[in-house]
Amino acid sequence: MSTVAEIFETMEYGPAPESDKEALSWLAKHERVFGHYINGAWTEPGKLFDVVNPATNKTIARVTDGTADDVDAAVKAARAALPAWKALAPHARARHLYALARGVQKHARLLAVLESMDNGKSIRETRDIDVPLVARHFYHHAGWAQLLDTEFEGYEAIGVVGQIIPWNFPLLMLAWKIAPALAGGNTLVLKPAEFTPLTALCFAEIAHEAGIPPGVINIVNGHGETGAAIVNHPEVDKIAFTGSTEVGRIIRKATAGSGKKLSLELGGKSPFIVYDDADLDSVVEGVVDAIWFNQGQVCCAGSRLLVQEGVADKLVAKLRSRMEKLRLGSPLDKAVDMGAIVAPVQLDRIRGLVQQGVNEGATMWQPSWACPTDGCFYPPTLFTDVQPSSTIAQVEIFGPVLVTMTFRTPEESVALANNTPYGLAASVWTESINLALDIAPKLKAGVVWVNSTNLFDAAAGFGGYRESGFGREGGREGMWEYVKRIPPNTSRAAAKASDVHRSSPIADRQSPAATRPSPLPAIDRTPKLFIGGKQARPDQGYTRRILSPSGAVVGEAPEGNRKDIRNAVEAAHAAAGKWARATGHNRGQILYYVAENLAVREQEFAKRIDAMTGCGPRRAKQEVDASISRLFTYAAWADKYDGAVHSVPIRGVAIAMNEPIGVMGIVCPDEFPLLGMISLVAPAIATGNTTVVVPSSPYPLAATDFYSILETSDVPAGVVNIVTGDKDPLAKVLAEHDDLEAIWYFGARDGVKAVELASASNMKRTWATWHDRSWLDLGDGEGREFLRAATHVKNVWVPYGE
Ligand code: NAI
Ligand code: MG
């Protein structure tokens, strides 16, 4: 035993272990063997796999590996429980969620210790971060449950939700998934990660005690195959996944064309940007939280340190001395900063990537103290002299490894930060508020932390751009992932549609063009495409004849091909930055101008629509009138689609900004050749996107006639590009295009499937549907649903004060 004098001399920490007694007795109560939790009861254990404590490499329990039959039983239980759960009064569901929050708090210590034993993360983190955030998540969503009918009017539960989560925040990811699902009135089947099943099982018991009705929450354990069985189950209506981009891509493909709603929270390689005026001591503590929190096994870990040249050496020196003082060891020791890596396979992966970094010529540095050798431990590691293109600068390491690069100017910092296929989070360090708020919108990331890092809260949305996935978790924006619009009942929709334009003359005679001589000359224009603000000759000279229902030639439209789409995407990219930065007022003015110019040519457009479709003059006029009104709608929205300031529990704000997605492909419905196109293009450009549009294939002439309206309405070149031709082949080219950030497709189910499959190449956001829409109806044809689909929410966290 050391004397006080000796301790005073060395300043050594003594051991401060958290007791594992309660966790051990919970495991003993279950004889350390678990079945699944299905329909409110434990199943008999089946084929078992080991649950290992990575800090000791000892097996602490055995858990059942879920089969396809287990998944089926769980989905059936969830399906059976759905009607009653969905029909509960919002207040009743709110009470259930509240009870879950209380249950988590009551068992906070047990959950924290169990999580540390199962995952290897430090008790300091599970006790002070993970478990409190879990309780907070259930409280916050008890609130959304209470407010569901008023705040999400016209929306309802999606149905049975399948949820698959990773091992890095086992209980927290469970809460992020379960709380909004239940608040929205859904029932669910959740699969924890195979490395970390225990806290989910403990949570099942807490939910059971709290009186959650049988079948509402089902927990099935297992490996990737069990997850795949959930993904592929025909009675699952939505999949929510957090994990690797690789598996996210598999799930995107597996659900293509199934109609399942999908949200994906995937990997990242998030930049941590330090400008030369930053407070370097705060930066050092920020880095500790960014990359050594949870041993760097964090999807939004600040794993790329980008430092302005002038302060780089100073910062690296400070970091090294701080790293010497980090404490690594038993996760249950309350004075430990870093615990164990989750499993040997992850440890090997980290070692392999670090070795690759050394081989590729970067300089590796680790503190002088020795790591424990009896568990899965890895020391904090710092790389300097890193090339931006090297493996360690590009690949998600998911370990305590930081790579450092330098930049000279703010522009260079943005380019370097965005030089990644990912787009999850970013951290910006500067004492200049001007600089911070100039940089934040320029970063391709779903979350930006100003002078802070790894801040999370249930009230603020979290989620990525690009290969980091799509969808948000948390806050109002996260709730949208768990509700769907109640489709207008068709008779109601039809009634509403006739309300839209009361001033339309009532001509009830249906007079299809087929019965009248066409007033238009047969071929009156040279058909072209519209690319980069100009009427452009198609790559190949082919055209298609557009016939009236009676077979008369109405006109011709060019057959666009792959090359034309590529040119159009290029033009849309060239226009993207400037259009995104245009003010809402400015974009609104341009949309009003388009509407004005269309109104001048109303009769001409109506005739053309009637000639192509044979819908009759009354319907054709109604379509043009509705198109003008729709342009007004989005001109109105252009400066009104506000973001939010979320009430997060810090001294500061989280600003939720609606941002354009970027360059979007828009494949229009066949029907309503003008209104269908305007209903999609107007919200996309009103929110600052640029577009490549494939108009109605059978009736493209409303679009080709529209070129001249775009030309005379101050729409900047490249904001709207139109390529006519065969819908599905063109849609496929768009969906496969790596420089396109989103695609909307309105067509047949096979086309939906092809688009969703091909979109997996760069994980672009999709909105693809084969369901009919009443384009004339105001509820179905326009509004916030379209604006949401055209935007990302970026949360910028700005703490106040010194
Ligand atoms: P993973 O993506 O394979 O595992 C995540 C979850 O998906 C687990 O529950 C797993 O059982 C399940 N799963 C695996 N294959 C599936 C399939 N085909 N269908 C449905 N579900 C499936 O991640 P893994 O293998 O644990 O880690 C590999 C790498 O992924 C890590 O080194 C890290 O880079 C990254 N990762 C990223 C995470 C994040 O939060 N962004 C979380 C976990 C891992
Ligand atoms: Mg895996």
Side-chain angles (χ1 to χ4, degrees):
M1 166 111 39
S2 344
T3 65
V4 173
E6 276 165 8
I7 293 170
F8 191 77
E9 199 55 44
T10 62
M11 290 304 272
E12 270 298 322
Y13 285 85
E18 174 67 50
S19 164
D20 58 4
K21 207 172 131 225
E22 206 188 339
L24 291 178
S25 73
W26 182 78
L27 288 169
K29 186 179 89 184
H30 288 273
E31 295 172 348
R32 297 190 178 229
V33 172
F34 294 85
H36 308 300
Y37 181 74
I38 296 175
N39 205 21
W42 294 106
T43 63
E44 283 299 315
K47 190 180 143 226
L48 299 170
F49 64 92
D50 287 347
V51 181
V52 177
N53 177 342
T56 62
N57 284 334
K58 294 216 168 75
T59 297
I60 49 177
R62 284 177 308 148
V63 163
T64 300
D65 203 357
T67 63
D69 286 344
D70 295 332
V71 168
D72 187 53
V75 172
K76 291 217 157 76
R79 178 63 57 195
L82 181 66
W85 180 250
K86 194 172 146 182
L88 272 187
H91 178 60
R93 277 200 304 273
R95 283 193 185 202
H96 279 299
L97 277 143
Y98 189 77
L100 287 174
R102 298 299 282 236
V104 166
Q105 282 187 319
K106 215 158 82 184
H107 298 287
R109 185 59 58 97
L110 169 61
L111 287 167
V113 174
L114 210 51
E115 192 82 312
S116 283
M117 289 170 66
D118 197 0
N119 168 282
K121 59 169 70 188
S122 74
I123 186 74
R124 226 172 36 119
E125 289 177 13
T126 58
R127 181 195 61 196
D128 297 347
I129 298 170
D130 297 43
V131 176
L133 278 174
V134 169
R136 160 91 181 126
H137 225 78
F138 282 106
Y139 281 126
H140 179 80
H141 285 87
W144 285 126
Q146 176 81 15
L147 302 177
L148 193 74
D149 282 1
T150 49
E151 290 300 301
F152 295 88
E153 200 192 337
Y155 284 75
E156 64 178 1
I158 292 171
V160 174
V161 178
Q163 307 184 309
I164 298 161
I165 58 173
W167 42 259
N168 53 344
F169 293 89
L171 191 63
L172 186 58
M173 289 304 104
L174 172 147
W176 282 23
K177 297 281 180 286
I178 290 186
L182 295 186
N186 305 277
T187 58
L188 62 97
V189 177
L190 177 136
K191 188 193 88 64
E194 53 270 41
F195 295 141
T196 53
L198 293 183
T199 45
L201 295 169
C202 187
F203 176 84
E205 207 171 82
I206 291 168
H208 193 87
E209 273 172 31
I212 301 295
V216 170
I217 297 175
N218 302 278
I219 309 282
V220 177
N221 271 302
H223 294 77
E225 280 170 31
T226 314
I230 296 175
V231 168
N232 295 321
H233 198 292
E235 282 184 73
V236 169
D237 302 306
K238 178 205 157 75
I239 296 292
F241 171 78
T242 300
S244 61
T245 296
E246 183 197 348
V247 174
R249 197 168 266 132
I250 293 172
I251 293 176
R252 166 69 290 180
K253 291 182 181 164
T255 54
S258 67
K260 285 176 187 151
K261 197 172 155 102
L262 185 60
S263 49
L264 298 173
E265 203 266 273
L266 309 174
K269 190 77 181 175
S270 298
F272 187 107
I273 314 169
V274 181
Y275 295 95
D276 56 13
D277 65 343
D279 171 0
L280 290 190
D281 291 322
S282 305
V283 167
V284 169
E285 293 316 305
V287 170
V288 170
D289 288 340
I291 188 68
W292 294 309
F293 169 55
N294 201 15
Q295 296 69 250
Q297 304 167 121
V298 181
C299 50
C300 52
S303 52
R304 287 185 298 146
L305 175 63
L306 313 181
V307 197
Q308 202 156 10
E309 230 169 47
V311 292
D313 288 346
K314 197 168 163 197
L315 179 58
V316 166
K318 276 177 183 282
L319 271 175
R320 287 181 178 170
S321 76
R322 180 68 175 90
M323 287 165 77
E324 282 289 358
K325 296 198 183 66
L326 285 172
R327 301 196 73 237
L328 184 150
S330 165
L332 288 182
D333 185 333
K334 285 178 270 196
V336 142
D337 298 307
M338 290 173 63
I341 301 297
V342 72
V345 51
Q346 190 61 21
L347 187 60
D348 287 346
R349 184 184 150 83
I350 297 167
R351 286 187 176 135
L353 283 163
V354 167
Q355 189 53 50
Q356 198 161 345
V358 172
N359 295 348
E360 287 179 14
T363 305
M364 196 264 280
W365 190 90
Q366 292 173 336
S368 60
W369 43 261
C371 251
T373 51
D374 46 354
C376 294
F377 292 97
Y378 198 85
T381 302
L382 178 67
F383 272 105
T384 48
D385 308 315
V386 178
Q387 292 302 318
S389 59
S390 64
T391 308
I392 52 170
Q394 290 292 332
V395 171
E396 180 177 48
I397 299 176
F398 231 61
V401 182
L402 181 64
V403 302
T404 312
M405 287 168 274
T406 58
F407 62 86
R408 263 166 266 178
T409 61
E411 294 75 68
E412 229 180 87
S413 73
V414 171
L416 200 53
N418 289 339
N419 177 24
T420 163
Y422 296 113
L424 195 51
S427 199
V428 176
W429 294 76
T430 168
E431 291 298 289
S432 157
I433 188 79
N434 267 340
L435 182 61
L437 295 184
D438 179 47
I439 297 297
K442 293 179 179 161
L443 297 171
K444 287 273 184 191
V447 186
V448 178
W449 292 293
V450 173
N451 291 329
S452 54
T453 188
N454 279 340
L455 296 174
F456 311 102
D457 185 57
F462 182 89
Y465 284 48
R466 308 203 270 194
E467 293 193 23
S468 295
F470 42 77
R472 294 289 179 267
E473 297 188 295
R476 184 189 292 270
E477 54 262 40
M479 280 300 295
W480 291 115
E481 303 294 332
Y482 286 96
V483 291
K484 65 167 193 238
R485 207 164 52 85
I486 302 169
N489 123 9
T490 25
S491 63
R492 198 160 36 101
K496 260 203 189 156
S498 58
D499 284 350
V500 177
H501 301 285
R502 285 182 192 285
S503 63
S504 311
I506 308 298
D508 50 17
R509 187 177 59 94
Q510 269 289 355
S511 59
T515 64
R516 298 173 295 120
S518 166
L520 296 167
I523 302 170
D524 58 354
R525 289 181 194 126
T526 323
K528 292 206 180 119
L529 307 173
F530 190 68
I531 296 176
K534 293 197 192 71
Q535 305 210 18
R537 237 171 260 293
D539 174 50
Q540 286 174 326
Y542 302 121
T543 57
R544 62 168 61 194
R545 283 180 153 195
I546 307 305
L547 305 179
S548 76
S550 67
V553 176
V554 184
E556 284 189 34
E559 277 309 317
N561 68 8
R562 177 176 291 271
K563 181 126 188 292
D564 298 315
I565 293 277
R566 277 210 301 267
N567 292 341
V569 172
E570 228 168 84
H573 262 286
K578 201 159 170 222
W579 185 245
R581 285 192 302 274
T583 63
H585 173 75
N586 183 232
R587 290 196 291 254
Q589 291 300 309
I590 289 172
L591 281 162
Y592 281 126
Y593 199 16
V594 173
E596 188 186 317
N597 285 327
L598 178 59
V600 172
R601 290 168 57 187
E602 181 177 5
Q603 288 193 354
E604 175 201 335
F605 271 87
K607 272 188 190 155
R608 185 75 127 170
I609 290 168
D610 185 18
M612 285 190 292
T613 66
C615 67
R618 177 175 173 257
R619 239 287 301 275
K621 180 175 188 315
Q622 203 181 17
E623 176 169 353
V624 182
D625 284 347
S627 300
I628 295 165
S629 165
R630 193 132 300 159
L631 286 162
F632 262 62
T633 296
Y634 291 107
W637 270 118
D639 65 352
K640 295 176 191 65
Y641 190 50
D642 294 336
V645 178
H646 289 310
S647 295
V648 289
I650 61 166
R651 256 195 90 235
V653 290
I655 307 164
M657 307 195 300
N658 294 322
E659 289 198 335
I661 301 176
V663 177
M664 295 177 56
I666 295 181
V667 184
C668 302
D670 286 351
E671 69 279 12
F672 289 97
L674 181 67
L675 180 61
M677 176 175 75
I678 285 177
S679 299
L680 300 175
V681 174
I685 66 174
T687 46
N689 300 282
T690 58
T691 57
V692 176
V693 183
V694 176
S696 165
S697 294
Y699 315 124
L701 302 180
T704 56
D705 290 350
F706 201 66
Y707 299 167
S708 55
I709 291 193
L710 292 168
E711 282 168 334
T712 52
S713 306
D714 295 347
V715 178
V719 170
V720 180
N721 304 278
I722 301 178
V723 178
T724 56
D726 206 356
K727 174 178 197 164
D728 283 338
L730 292 177
K732 186 154 178 286
V733 178
L734 282 171
E736 283 168 349
H737 203 301
D738 278 342
D739 287 332
L740 207 70
E741 276 131 348
I743 180 165
W744 292 357
Y745 175 95
F746 287 72
R749 187 159 181 169
D750 283 351
V752 168
K753 182 168 181 181
V755 160
E756 290 182 341
L757 268 178
S759 73
S761 65
N762 72 340
M763 299 302 283
K764 59 176 69 65
R765 241 175 97 179
T766 60
W767 183 17
T769 165
W770 63 87
H771 300 292
D772 280 341
R773 258 179 197 264
S774 325
W775 291 106
L776 288 168
D777 179 63
L778 295 184
D780 215 21
E782 66 179 47
R784 284 185 178 267
E785 184 188 12
F786 293 80
L787 295 159
R788 267 200 310 279
T791 49
H792 281 300
V793 182
K794 172 185 278 180
N795 273 277
V796 180
W797 291 65
V798 189
Y800 300 149
E802 284 296 293

